[in-house]
Amino acid sequence: MDKKNTDPQTSDETLYSLAELFKVFGDPTRIRILHSLTENELCVQDIADRLSMTQSAISHQLRILKQAALVRFRRDGKTIYYSLADDHVKTIMAQGLEHVCE
């Protein structure tokens, strides 16, 4: 007989949220952006230059990453600098890289 899981960390809603988070990681451009931000914060132009993409394309992906709480930003005058939201994101990236490189 199946029992309904009452652990809040594995509730259907939580697992759905986890699936949505992994969808965000499913885009190669977003992964490249997150990888670029693992060492230091960058502005949109710096990211665009590193990835050989347009600022518009990078801004679109950063918007998705912000909505998923994977990046944060700070404003310095007219320039906005982006960085990873917290150490969890860096850990997810590092563990993912370790897994695919095994």
Side-chain angles (χ1 to χ4, degrees), residues 44-45 47-49 51-60:
V44 174
Q45 185 61 58
I47 298 169
D49 290 346
L51 275 56
S52 299
M53 296 178 68
T54 65
Q55 282 190 18
S56 175
I58 297 301
S59 293
H60 172 74

Side-chain angles (χ1 to χ4, degrees), residues 22-80:
F22 282 131
K23 284 181 189 177
V24 175
F25 281 102
D27 181 87
T29 299
R30 290 192 288 267
I31 290 294
R32 292 173 67 211
I33 291 170
L34 291 171
H35 180 69
S36 295
L37 296 174
T38 56
E39 295 303 318
N40 55 344
E41 66 180 11
L42 298 167
C43 68
V44 174
Q45 185 61 58
D46 291 340
I47 298 169
D49 290 346
R50 285 185 182 201
L51 275 56
S52 299
M53 296 178 68
T54 65
Q55 282 190 18
S56 175
I58 297 301
S59 293
H60 172 74
Q61 298 301 336
L62 283 168
R63 195 172 313 113
I64 294 168
L65 291 168
K66 281 191 300 188
Q67 289 171 346
L70 295 174
V71 298
R72 63 178 171 211
F73 66 94
R74 72 172 180 87
R75 185 178 300 273
D76 185 6
K78 291 184 179 183
T79 306
I80 298 174

Side-chain angles (χ1 to χ4, degrees), residues 7-18:
D7 180 356
Q9 287 192 323
T10 57
S11 71
D12 287 347
E13 184 178 332
T14 301
L15 293 175
Y16 177 81
S17 295
L18 180 60

